[in-house]
Amino acid sequence: MFHSRESENEQCRPKIVITTVDDPDIIAVKKDLKMISVNSETTESFELPSGGANGSSYTWSSDNEQVISVSKTENGYAAAVTRADADTTVKLVCTAVSGGYSEQREFYVNVIGSATSVADLDAAEISVEYTDSMRTVSLPGS
């Protein structure tokens, strides 16, 4: 059971801060962040947008610039991929801003490693030639 009583002591009164959802900047940022799509796996460099359809502007960052380096271009952002030997997961962060409101969204991208073992290859991609004087094994990319 709840009781209510008025107090003359202002410190006893709770302060409530309400952020309305009718703020156009908040609405724009939230809608724009939901519409961003980034592939979860890649072997190649790719483009990232610089803004959303509702007017938000974006900035991008990477937690591993050695594998995915992000830079501003005329048309958005370029995500330059440098493949390591092993698969590497990189976190990209998009910060969307509209007016005085900003919010971030994280994307995780697995960069497929450049080292490929024979066990990973499709059998149809392996070519073996054998003659009495020469043995040759051809693998994709060799």
Side-chain angles (χ1 to χ4, degrees), residues 5 16 28 44 49 53 59 65 70-71 79 83 92 103 122 130:
R5 67 181 173 126
I16 300 172
E44 299 176 347
T59 56
E65 289 282 331
V70 179
S71 60
R83 294 168 67 192
L92 298 178
E103 190 172 321
D122 183 272
Y130 177 78

mmCIF file with all atom_site columns, all heavy atoms in Angstrom, residues 5 16 28 44 49 53 59 65 70-71 79 83 92 103 122 130:
data_model
loop_
_atom_site.group_PDB
_atom_site.id
_atom_site.type_symbol
_atom_site.label_atom_id
_atom_site.label_alt_id
_atom_site.label_comp_id
_atom_site.label_asym_id
_atom_site.label_entity_id
_atom_site.label_seq_id
_atom_site.pdbx_PDB_ins_code
_atom_site.Cartn_x
_atom_site.Cartn_y
_atom_site.Cartn_z
_atom_site.occupancy
_atom_site.B_iso_or_equiv
_atom_site.pdbx_formal_charge
_atom_site.auth_seq_id
_atom_site.auth_comp_id
_atom_site.auth_asym_id
_atom_site.auth_atom_id
_atom_site.pdbx_PDB_model_num
ATOM 1   N N   . ARG A 1 5   ? 2.082  11.914  0.926   1.00 0.00 ? 5   ARG A N   1
ATOM 2   C CA  . ARG A 1 5   ? 1.924  13.085  1.776   1.00 0.00 ? 5   ARG A CA  1
ATOM 3   C C   . ARG A 1 5   ? 2.831  14.181  1.246   1.00 0.00 ? 5   ARG A C   1
ATOM 4   O O   . ARG A 1 5   ? 3.893  13.923  0.681   1.00 0.00 ? 5   ARG A O   1
ATOM 5   C CB  . ARG A 1 5   ? 2.241  12.773  3.232   1.00 0.00 ? 5   ARG A CB  1
ATOM 6   C CG  . ARG A 1 5   ? 3.656  12.438  3.505   1.00 0.00 ? 5   ARG A CG  1
ATOM 7   C CD  . ARG A 1 5   ? 3.851  12.116  4.984   1.00 0.00 ? 5   ARG A CD  1
ATOM 8   N NE  . ARG A 1 5   ? 5.198  11.650  5.131   1.00 0.00 ? 5   ARG A NE  1
ATOM 9   C CZ  . ARG A 1 5   ? 6.052  12.164  5.985   1.00 0.00 ? 5   ARG A CZ  1
ATOM 10  N NH1 . ARG A 1 5   ? 5.695  13.121  6.782   1.00 0.00 ? 5   ARG A NH1 1
ATOM 11  N NH2 . ARG A 1 5   ? 7.269  11.700  6.072   1.00 0.00 ? 5   ARG A NH2 1
ATOM 12  N N   . ILE A 1 16  ? 11.843 14.032  -11.375 1.00 0.00 ? 16  ILE A N   1
ATOM 13  C CA  . ILE A 1 16  ? 11.639 13.163  -12.530 1.00 0.00 ? 16  ILE A CA  1
ATOM 14  C C   . ILE A 1 16  ? 11.958 13.955  -13.791 1.00 0.00 ? 16  ILE A C   1
ATOM 15  O O   . ILE A 1 16  ? 11.441 15.053  -13.983 1.00 0.00 ? 16  ILE A O   1
ATOM 16  C CB  . ILE A 1 16  ? 10.187 12.646  -12.581 1.00 0.00 ? 16  ILE A CB  1
ATOM 17  C CG1 . ILE A 1 16  ? 9.882  11.849  -11.315 1.00 0.00 ? 16  ILE A CG1 1
ATOM 18  C CG2 . ILE A 1 16  ? 9.964  11.820  -13.834 1.00 0.00 ? 16  ILE A CG2 1
ATOM 19  C CD1 . ILE A 1 16  ? 8.436  11.457  -11.182 1.00 0.00 ? 16  ILE A CD1 1
ATOM 20  N N   . ALA A 1 28  ? 14.866 11.079  -35.411 1.00 0.00 ? 28  ALA A N   1
ATOM 21  C CA  . ALA A 1 28  ? 15.711 10.938  -36.609 1.00 0.00 ? 28  ALA A CA  1
ATOM 22  C C   . ALA A 1 28  ? 16.877 9.993   -36.356 1.00 0.00 ? 28  ALA A C   1
ATOM 23  O O   . ALA A 1 28  ? 17.142 9.089   -37.151 1.00 0.00 ? 28  ALA A O   1
ATOM 24  C CB  . ALA A 1 28  ? 16.219 12.313  -37.050 1.00 0.00 ? 28  ALA A CB  1
ATOM 25  N N   . GLU A 1 44  ? 36.760 -8.229  -48.287 1.00 0.00 ? 44  GLU A N   1
ATOM 26  C CA  . GLU A 1 44  ? 37.099 -7.074  -49.116 1.00 0.00 ? 44  GLU A CA  1
ATOM 27  C C   . GLU A 1 44  ? 36.704 -5.768  -48.443 1.00 0.00 ? 44  GLU A C   1
ATOM 28  O O   . GLU A 1 44  ? 35.820 -5.732  -47.588 1.00 0.00 ? 44  GLU A O   1
ATOM 29  C CB  . GLU A 1 44  ? 36.377 -7.175  -50.459 1.00 0.00 ? 44  GLU A CB  1
ATOM 30  C CG  . GLU A 1 44  ? 36.745 -8.400  -51.258 1.00 0.00 ? 44  GLU A CG  1
ATOM 31  C CD  . GLU A 1 44  ? 35.944 -8.513  -52.551 1.00 0.00 ? 44  GLU A CD  1
ATOM 32  O OE1 . GLU A 1 44  ? 34.950 -7.775  -52.698 1.00 0.00 ? 44  GLU A OE1 1
ATOM 33  O OE2 . GLU A 1 44  ? 36.325 -9.323  -53.391 1.00 0.00 ? 44  GLU A OE2 1
ATOM 34  N N   . PRO A 1 49  ? 27.934 4.512   -44.904 1.00 0.00 ? 49  PRO A N   1
ATOM 35  C CA  . PRO A 1 49  ? 27.236 5.780   -45.167 1.00 0.00 ? 49  PRO A CA  1
ATOM 36  C C   . PRO A 1 49  ? 27.692 6.909   -44.240 1.00 0.00 ? 49  PRO A C   1
ATOM 37  O O   . PRO A 1 49  ? 28.187 6.662   -43.140 1.00 0.00 ? 49  PRO A O   1
ATOM 38  C CB  . PRO A 1 49  ? 25.767 5.424   -44.902 1.00 0.00 ? 49  PRO A CB  1
ATOM 39  C CG  . PRO A 1 49  ? 25.822 4.300   -43.921 1.00 0.00 ? 49  PRO A CG  1
ATOM 40  C CD  . PRO A 1 49  ? 27.065 3.516   -44.273 1.00 0.00 ? 49  PRO A CD  1
ATOM 41  N N   . ALA A 1 53  ? 18.574 8.765   -43.876 1.00 0.00 ? 53  ALA A N   1
ATOM 42  C CA  . ALA A 1 53  ? 17.457 9.329   -44.625 1.00 0.00 ? 53  ALA A CA  1
ATOM 43  C C   . ALA A 1 53  ? 16.675 10.373  -43.829 1.00 0.00 ? 53  ALA A C   1
ATOM 44  O O   . ALA A 1 53  ? 16.005 11.220  -44.398 1.00 0.00 ? 53  ALA A O   1
ATOM 45  C CB  . ALA A 1 53  ? 16.519 8.208   -45.076 1.00 0.00 ? 53  ALA A CB  1
ATOM 46  N N   . THR A 1 59  ? 29.469 9.390   -37.964 1.00 0.00 ? 59  THR A N   1
ATOM 47  C CA  . THR A 1 59  ? 30.918 9.203   -37.932 1.00 0.00 ? 59  THR A CA  1
ATOM 48  C C   . THR A 1 59  ? 31.134 7.737   -37.571 1.00 0.00 ? 59  THR A C   1
ATOM 49  O O   . THR A 1 59  ? 30.316 7.128   -36.874 1.00 0.00 ? 59  THR A O   1
ATOM 50  C CB  . THR A 1 59  ? 31.623 10.114  -36.903 1.00 0.00 ? 59  THR A CB  1
ATOM 51  O OG1 . THR A 1 59  ? 31.052 9.907   -35.616 1.00 0.00 ? 59  THR A OG1 1
ATOM 52  C CG2 . THR A 1 59  ? 31.500 11.574  -37.288 1.00 0.00 ? 59  THR A CG2 1
ATOM 53  N N   . GLU A 1 65  ? 42.109 -0.912  -36.228 1.00 0.00 ? 65  GLU A N   1
ATOM 54  C CA  . GLU A 1 65  ? 42.457 -0.208  -37.472 1.00 0.00 ? 65  GLU A CA  1
ATOM 55  C C   . GLU A 1 65  ? 43.437 -0.991  -38.343 1.00 0.00 ? 65  GLU A C   1
ATOM 56  O O   . GLU A 1 65  ? 43.563 -0.711  -39.524 1.00 0.00 ? 65  GLU A O   1
ATOM 57  C CB  . GLU A 1 65  ? 43.035 1.177   -37.147 1.00 0.00 ? 65  GLU A CB  1
ATOM 58  C CG  . GLU A 1 65  ? 42.006 2.162   -36.624 1.00 0.00 ? 65  GLU A CG  1
ATOM 59  C CD  . GLU A 1 65  ? 41.137 2.765   -37.709 1.00 0.00 ? 65  GLU A CD  1
ATOM 60  O OE1 . GLU A 1 65  ? 41.603 2.895   -38.863 1.00 0.00 ? 65  GLU A OE1 1
ATOM 61  O OE2 . GLU A 1 65  ? 39.983 3.111   -37.407 1.00 0.00 ? 65  GLU A OE2 1
ATOM 62  N N   . VAL A 1 70  ? 38.994 2.837   -41.052 1.00 0.00 ? 70  VAL A N   1
ATOM 63  C CA  . VAL A 1 70  ? 37.881 3.656   -41.524 1.00 0.00 ? 70  VAL A CA  1
ATOM 64  C C   . VAL A 1 70  ? 38.369 5.069   -41.804 1.00 0.00 ? 70  VAL A C   1
ATOM 65  O O   . VAL A 1 70  ? 39.052 5.672   -40.977 1.00 0.00 ? 70  VAL A O   1
ATOM 66  C CB  . VAL A 1 70  ? 36.745 3.687   -40.479 1.00 0.00 ? 70  VAL A CB  1
ATOM 67  C CG1 . VAL A 1 70  ? 35.603 4.563   -40.953 1.00 0.00 ? 70  VAL A CG1 1
ATOM 68  C CG2 . VAL A 1 70  ? 36.255 2.279   -40.173 1.00 0.00 ? 70  VAL A CG2 1
ATOM 69  N N   . SER A 1 71  ? 38.021 5.589   -42.993 1.00 0.00 ? 71  SER A N   1
ATOM 70  C CA  . SER A 1 71  ? 38.406 6.963   -43.334 1.00 0.00 ? 71  SER A CA  1
ATOM 71  C C   . SER A 1 71  ? 37.263 7.654   -44.070 1.00 0.00 ? 71  SER A C   1
ATOM 72  O O   . SER A 1 71  ? 36.473 7.016   -44.768 1.00 0.00 ? 71  SER A O   1
ATOM 73  C CB  . SER A 1 71  ? 39.672 6.967   -44.198 1.00 0.00 ? 71  SER A CB  1
ATOM 74  O OG  . SER A 1 71  ? 39.442 6.261   -45.401 1.00 0.00 ? 71  SER A OG  1
ATOM 75  N N   . ALA A 1 79  ? 35.847 1.676   -45.614 1.00 0.00 ? 79  ALA A N   1
ATOM 76  C CA  . ALA A 1 79  ? 36.365 0.705   -44.654 1.00 0.00 ? 79  ALA A CA  1
ATOM 77  C C   . ALA A 1 79  ? 37.358 -0.170  -45.410 1.00 0.00 ? 79  ALA A C   1
ATOM 78  O O   . ALA A 1 79  ? 36.967 -1.066  -46.162 1.00 0.00 ? 79  ALA A O   1
ATOM 79  C CB  . ALA A 1 79  ? 35.234 -0.127  -44.068 1.00 0.00 ? 79  ALA A CB  1
ATOM 80  N N   . ARG A 1 83  ? 43.457 -8.228  -44.524 1.00 0.00 ? 83  ARG A N   1
ATOM 81  C CA  . ARG A 1 83  ? 43.211 -9.547  -43.932 1.00 0.00 ? 83  ARG A CA  1
ATOM 82  C C   . ARG A 1 83  ? 44.423 -10.060 -43.169 1.00 0.00 ? 83  ARG A C   1
ATOM 83  O O   . ARG A 1 83  ? 45.535 -10.044 -43.670 1.00 0.00 ? 83  ARG A O   1
ATOM 84  C CB  . ARG A 1 83  ? 42.821 -10.533 -45.030 1.00 0.00 ? 83  ARG A CB  1
ATOM 85  C CG  . ARG A 1 83  ? 41.479 -10.178 -45.659 1.00 0.00 ? 83  ARG A CG  1
ATOM 86  C CD  . ARG A 1 83  ? 41.199 -10.949 -46.913 1.00 0.00 ? 83  ARG A CD  1
ATOM 87  N NE  . ARG A 1 83  ? 41.025 -12.370 -46.610 1.00 0.00 ? 83  ARG A NE  1
ATOM 88  C CZ  . ARG A 1 83  ? 40.994 -13.310 -47.548 1.00 0.00 ? 83  ARG A CZ  1
ATOM 89  N NH1 . ARG A 1 83  ? 41.132 -13.001 -48.815 1.00 0.00 ? 83  ARG A NH1 1
ATOM 90  N NH2 . ARG A 1 83  ? 40.831 -14.559 -47.198 1.00 0.00 ? 83  ARG A NH2 1
ATOM 91  N N   . LEU A 1 92  ? 32.849 -2.161  -35.352 1.00 0.00 ? 92  LEU A N   1
ATOM 92  C CA  . LEU A 1 92  ? 32.695 -0.838  -35.935 1.00 0.00 ? 92  LEU A CA  1
ATOM 93  C C   . LEU A 1 92  ? 31.622 -0.111  -35.136 1.00 0.00 ? 92  LEU A C   1
ATOM 94  O O   . LEU A 1 92  ? 30.589 -0.699  -34.797 1.00 0.00 ? 92  LEU A O   1
ATOM 95  C CB  . LEU A 1 92  ? 32.263 -0.930  -37.395 1.00 0.00 ? 92  LEU A CB  1
ATOM 96  C CG  . LEU A 1 92  ? 33.219 -1.635  -38.348 1.00 0.00 ? 92  LEU A CG  1
ATOM 97  C CD1 . LEU A 1 92  ? 32.618 -1.697  -39.754 1.00 0.00 ? 92  LEU A CD1 1
ATOM 98  C CD2 . LEU A 1 92  ? 34.564 -0.929  -38.373 1.00 0.00 ? 92  LEU A CD2 1
ATOM 99  N N   . GLU A 1 103 ? 23.692 9.225   -30.610 1.00 0.00 ? 103 GLU A N   1
ATOM 100 C CA  . GLU A 1 103 ? 23.578 7.853   -30.112 1.00 0.00 ? 103 GLU A CA  1
ATOM 101 C C   . GLU A 1 103 ? 24.495 6.980   -30.957 1.00 0.00 ? 103 GLU A C   1
ATOM 102 O O   . GLU A 1 103 ? 24.772 7.294   -32.112 1.00 0.00 ? 103 GLU A O   1
ATOM 103 C CB  . GLU A 1 103 ? 22.128 7.383   -30.239 1.00 0.00 ? 103 GLU A CB  1
ATOM 104 C CG  . GLU A 1 103 ? 21.839 6.066   -29.547 1.00 0.00 ? 103 GLU A CG  1
ATOM 105 C CD  . GLU A 1 103 ? 20.341 5.732   -29.531 1.00 0.00 ? 103 GLU A CD  1
ATOM 106 O OE1 . GLU A 1 103 ? 19.522 6.653   -29.340 1.00 0.00 ? 103 GLU A OE1 1
ATOM 107 O OE2 . GLU A 1 103 ? 20.028 4.550   -29.720 1.00 0.00 ? 103 GLU A OE2 1
ATOM 108 N N   . ASP A 1 122 ? 37.320 -26.632 -51.221 1.00 0.00 ? 122 ASP A N   1
ATOM 109 C CA  . ASP A 1 122 ? 36.353 -27.513 -51.855 1.00 0.00 ? 122 ASP A CA  1
ATOM 110 C C   . ASP A 1 122 ? 37.126 -28.495 -52.737 1.00 0.00 ? 122 ASP A C   1
ATOM 111 O O   . ASP A 1 122 ? 38.050 -28.112 -53.452 1.00 0.00 ? 122 ASP A O   1
ATOM 112 C CB  . ASP A 1 122 ? 35.392 -26.669 -52.704 1.00 0.00 ? 122 ASP A CB  1
ATOM 113 C CG  . ASP A 1 122 ? 34.312 -27.506 -53.326 1.00 0.00 ? 122 ASP A CG  1
ATOM 114 O OD1 . ASP A 1 122 ? 34.541 -28.020 -54.439 1.00 0.00 ? 122 ASP A OD1 1
ATOM 115 O OD2 . ASP A 1 122 ? 33.247 -27.648 -52.695 1.00 0.00 ? 122 ASP A OD2 1
ATOM 116 N N   . TYR A 1 130 ? 49.820 -36.008 -62.435 1.00 0.00 ? 130 TYR A N   1
ATOM 117 C CA  . TYR A 1 130 ? 50.896 -36.909 -62.101 1.00 0.00 ? 130 TYR A CA  1
ATOM 118 C C   . TYR A 1 130 ? 51.448 -37.496 -63.389 1.00 0.00 ? 130 TYR A C   1
ATOM 119 O O   . TYR A 1 130 ? 50.728 -37.995 -64.240 1.00 0.00 ? 130 TYR A O   1
ATOM 120 C CB  . TYR A 1 130 ? 50.394 -38.029 -61.188 1.00 0.00 ? 130 TYR A CB  1
ATOM 121 C CG  . TYR A 1 130 ? 51.455 -39.045 -60.871 1.00 0.00 ? 130 TYR A CG  1
ATOM 122 C CD1 . TYR A 1 130 ? 52.423 -38.770 -59.922 1.00 0.00 ? 130 TYR A CD1 1
ATOM 123 C CD2 . TYR A 1 130 ? 51.490 -40.272 -61.527 1.00 0.00 ? 130 TYR A CD2 1
ATOM 124 C CE1 . TYR A 1 130 ? 53.401 -39.689 -59.632 1.00 0.00 ? 130 TYR A CE1 1
ATOM 125 C CE2 . TYR A 1 130 ? 52.477 -41.203 -61.241 1.00 0.00 ? 130 TYR A CE2 1
ATOM 126 C CZ  . TYR A 1 130 ? 53.425 -40.903 -60.293 1.00 0.00 ? 130 TYR A CZ  1
ATOM 127 O OH  . TYR A 1 130 ? 54.401 -41.812 -60.008 1.00 0.00 ? 130 TYR A OH  1
#
